[in-house]
Amino acid sequence: MTESSSSNIFEALQHGLTQAKSVQTPGEVHGTLTGMLCIDNAARGAQAVEDVESDMLDSALDALREMTLEGLFDPDLSFKPLLPDDEVELERRVQALARWCAGFLYGLSADGEFDLSRLSAEVREVVGDLTELSRAGLTAEDSDGESAEGDYAELVEYVRVGVQMIFLELQPKREGPAKRESLH
């Protein structure tokens, strides 16, 4: 996903969610969808939005699902969480990142099959960190200067790589037609 395409997707999803009177944010929906896809890569996009039904929104979510899976399965690790552009004030971006993480954790556990104890220690640590990030906020002194922007960028990169690790650990264990095939 390029920077401008993710911006367009974020705005389109925001518009669709608003039109459908959903209380969820685009980041939260993408996080939920990504978590669901880590457990079952056959999950449908519409499963990530619980409070509304809209055919237009469903087709947009299916497109988001395809782009998300493409990024997660990409050997170059191109997955990116769907978050507001860098032009948006830092406080709103931090809130969006926290909601993305909360959505992701919800998506992981939504079907009741997620068992943290079966994961490697490294991935369990990432899940713990994402839990902490789901409660992230910004204080007045945190929001000043370039260091805050750099810290935010590092957090987004950590989430991106951490989610990729979770996906790669969970997906090879999947059974059935949706199982990821490896090339030798």
Side-chain angles (χ1 to χ4, degrees), residues 13-59:
L13 185 54
Q14 179 66 63
H15 180 73
L17 290 168
T18 301
Q19 292 293 97
K21 297 181 179 19
S22 174
V23 297
Q24 291 175 280
T25 64
E28 184 179 13
V29 168
H30 187 244
T32 300
L33 177 60
T34 304
M36 290 175 162
L37 292 171
C38 284
I39 298 297
D40 177 7
N41 64 26
R44 290 183 11 261
Q47 292 173 278
V49 180
E50 296 183 352
D51 57 346
V52 298
E53 283 194 30
S54 162
D55 291 338
M56 183 183 293
L57 188 57
D58 287 353
S59 63

Side-chain angles (χ1 to χ4, degrees), residues 142 146-156:
D142 290 337
E146 289 181 33
S147 67
E149 288 290 339
D151 292 345
Y152 171 78
E154 285 181 30
L155 288 175
V156 171

Side-chain angles (χ1 to χ4, degrees), residues 17-127:
L17 290 168
T18 301
Q19 292 293 97
K21 297 181 179 19
S22 174
V23 297
Q24 291 175 280
T25 64
E28 184 179 13
V29 168
H30 187 244
T32 300
L33 177 60
T34 304
M36 290 175 162
L37 292 171
C38 284
I39 298 297
D40 177 7
N41 64 26
R44 290 183 11 261
Q47 292 173 278
V49 180
E50 296 183 352
D51 57 346
V52 298
E53 283 194 30
S54 162
D55 291 338
M56 183 183 293
L57 188 57
D58 287 353
S59 63
L61 290 168
D62 286 339
L64 181 61
R65 174 195 177 275
E66 292 304 313
M67 287 187 300
T68 301
L69 273 177
E70 191 175 300
L72 289 168
F73 276 123
D74 183 4
D76 294 328
L77 308 176
S78 66
F79 168 78
K80 290 183 181 175
L82 186 61
L83 297 167
D85 282 340
D86 289 341
E87 290 79 39
V88 173
E89 66 186 42
L90 183 60
E91 183 176 3
R92 286 188 52 213
R93 287 183 282 142
V94 169
Q95 290 170 350
L97 180 61
R99 289 195 68 177
W100 193 98
C101 291
F104 178 78
L105 295 167
Y106 174 76
L108 278 180
S109 61
D111 73 355
E113 292 183 28
F114 182 67
D115 183 0
L116 190 59
S117 68
R118 295 180 139 187
L119 300 176
S120 68
E122 187 175 33
V123 169
R124 283 195 310 268
E125 183 178 335
V126 170
V127 172

Side-chain angles (χ1 to χ4, degrees), residues 162-183:
V163 166
Q164 198 78 63
M165 287 172 50
I166 293 168
F167 180 78
L168 292 173
E169 186 162 319
L170 290 172
Q171 280 304 302
K173 298 176 184 175
R174 301 302 300 168
E175 302 293 329
K179 183 178 179 184
R180 181 177 178 209
E181 294 180 18
S182 61
L183 300 174

